[in-house]
Amino acid sequence: MTNIFGYNIDELNAIFKELNIPSYRSKQISDWIYKKEKFSFYEMTNLSKNLQENLAEKFKIITPILLKRLNSKDNLTSKFLLELEDKIAVETVLMRKNYGNSVCVSTQAGCAMGCAFCASTLNGVTRNLTAKEMLGEVYFINNELKKENKNVTNIVLMGSGEPLMNYDEVIRFLRLCHDENILGLSYRNITLSTSGIVPNIYRLAEENLPVTLSISLHAPNDKIRDRLMPINKKYPIKELIKAGKFYGDKTKRRVTYEYILIDNLNDGKKEAKELASLLKNQLSHINIIPINSVEEREFFRPSKEKVQKFLEYLTEENISATVRKEMGADVNAACGQLRNRYLRKGEKK
Ligand code: SAH
């Protein structure tokens, strides 16, 4: 049975045509699914009984199901462990911010990048998620928000996985989010975060989907970055920064560089100056993220004073930078931590 969740109107038209279902039905069914979030054909009251039965025999409309939910104490962050059709678990996070409600989407189950500080990659990658599964993560959260009379306003591809290693499905997902018959989100409200798959940054720049690009830099030179992120051996820092500049010039969007601060590793004055000189020729913003310690890794968070100092060094060099407001530390919101705990314990629903 085909799962039609994630099909746009053209794709619905194509499959319904074979069954002699007139094309105006595609728009009706699309509205039920994506605008009214009704996932049973029997709830689609403007379809005839016959058609409802006919569709229910051939198609299903399936989104991920909830395995576990954790809410932060301040109730601003909720983390969800969701189960996909093949029983694989993925993490999705809802962050309630002053400007709107942001969903942090996983693009792969696990991750193959092997970054030394990240929990998502500890068990490697299980598989790529499909566009419809990523859209399912967003709809799951949208449905939760509906109970509060709210909806999803922003999407960040910063959950588990490397989006640019799942290129085609991620592009498809971005288009679905933008489709006015589906979520109708502006590309400006979508941020794609990458560990630095350089050729695909160039490809993305040419897609005419001006999403905000966020590059996980985390180090000011190859020596430190090689140690933290194996991908740097393939695409070293200078090439990455060049690709970031190209993306910014092409899309006219300011590129964000993420920089995790790790005690005594990349948080000194020397590193701040080096970082500033790397970025001085491009429109950019640095997000400083005091590291979330991961149980399995031995990296520690610098003191508040050190974090502040690092920010000051950058500001002195006229580099735009802020320290990211931490959300959800009490719900294991650092990438992949909830899923790992789940895999370890083999928890049941
Ligand atoms: N693979 C993509 C997207 C997922 S990671 C990427 O690398 O950008 C999303 C962000 O979380 C990245 O900036 C990543 O470096 C960061 N991150 C991973 N582990 C972290 C940790 N322990 N503390 C703080 N940020 C972390």
Side-chain angles (χ1 to χ4, degrees), residues 45-302:
T45 48
N46 55 2
L47 308 184
S48 69
K49 188 100 196 85
N50 250 343
L51 181 57
Q52 287 174 344
E53 280 168 6
N54 190 4
L55 290 169
E57 266 171 32
K58 299 188 176 66
F59 305 109
K60 55 188 177 178
I61 305 165
I62 293 194
T63 53
I65 58 169
L66 182 65
L67 286 177
K68 191 167 180 136
R69 172 182 184 146
L70 296 172
N71 293 324
S72 63
K73 288 201 192 77
D74 60 12
N75 243 333
L76 293 177
T77 305
S78 307
K79 185 151 197 174
F80 301 86
L81 190 67
L82 302 178
E83 188 180 78
L84 305 176
E85 273 189 83
D86 59 357
K87 306 283 179 211
I88 274 176
V90 293
E91 292 181 22
T92 308
V93 184
L94 161 62
M95 293 166 286
R96 298 170 175 87
K97 307 216 176 171
N98 46 18
Y99 58 78
N101 302 299
S102 188
V103 188
C104 179
V105 171
S106 287
T107 56
Q108 297 180 308
C111 184
M113 303 315 294
C115 299
F117 47 79
C118 184
S120 295
T121 199
L122 285 167
N123 295 296
V125 66
T126 309
R127 69 169 173 84
N128 283 338
L129 301 195
T130 61
K132 58 170 74 177
E133 287 170 333
M134 294 180 248
L135 189 69
E137 294 180 61
V138 178
Y139 268 84
F140 182 92
I141 304 291
N142 215 26
N143 201 34
E144 290 298 307
L145 282 170
K146 242 179 153 177
K147 299 171 192 162
E148 308 165 22
N149 276 324
K150 294 180 178 152
N151 59 315
V152 171
T153 59
N154 297 73
I155 293 178
V156 295
L157 280 68
M158 284 193 187
S160 298
E162 169 46 56
L164 296 186
M165 293 292 271
N166 183 13
Y167 190 86
D168 292 345
E169 288 298 308
V170 163
I171 297 293
R172 207 175 120 66
F173 167 64
L174 297 177
R175 292 190 200 282
L176 292 172
C177 292
H178 182 68
D179 187 330
E180 61 181 359
N181 292 307
I182 302 180
L183 280 168
L185 280 185
S186 156
Y187 286 121
R188 291 172 170 267
N189 293 349
I190 304 177
T191 298
L192 185 151
S193 180
T194 180
S195 57
I197 316 299
V198 166
N200 285 351
I201 294 178
Y202 286 104
R203 247 174 111 189
L204 183 67
E206 307 285 357
E207 294 280 357
N208 205 13
L209 312 168
V211 296
T212 303
L213 181 68
S214 182
I215 294 183
S216 295
L217 193 63
H218 307 325
N221 57 47
D222 286 326
K223 191 158 173 248
I224 302 181
R225 200 166 191 267
D226 275 352
R227 217 182 121 187
L228 295 175
M229 305 178 74
I231 190 69
N232 195 64
K233 299 207 174 89
K234 195 157 183 195
Y235 306 116
I237 229 163
K238 292 257 157 58
E239 281 181 35
L240 178 55
I241 303 281
K242 208 167 130 198
K245 178 161 170 32
F246 181 85
Y247 189 88
D249 291 344
K250 184 88 195 171
T251 60
K252 310 273 182 293
R253 311 279 300 134
R254 184 172 78 165
V255 172
T256 305
Y257 287 87
E258 310 281 320
Y259 193 96
I260 293 180
L261 268 193
I262 309 173
D263 198 32
N264 287 331
L265 199 140
N266 63 357
D267 62 341
K269 184 170 182 175
K270 180 172 166 279
E271 284 82 24
K273 301 279 172 197
E274 224 178 335
L275 177 59
S277 74
L278 270 182
L279 294 177
K280 66 174 181 294
N281 291 325
Q282 65 173 281
L283 190 61
S284 64
H285 179 80
I286 302 181
N287 243 331
I288 299 171
I289 313 162
I291 190 165
N292 277 313
S293 306
V294 177
E295 282 171 26
E296 298 84 347
R297 308 288 200 189
E298 294 209 331
F299 294 124
F300 301 102
R301 181 180 283 202

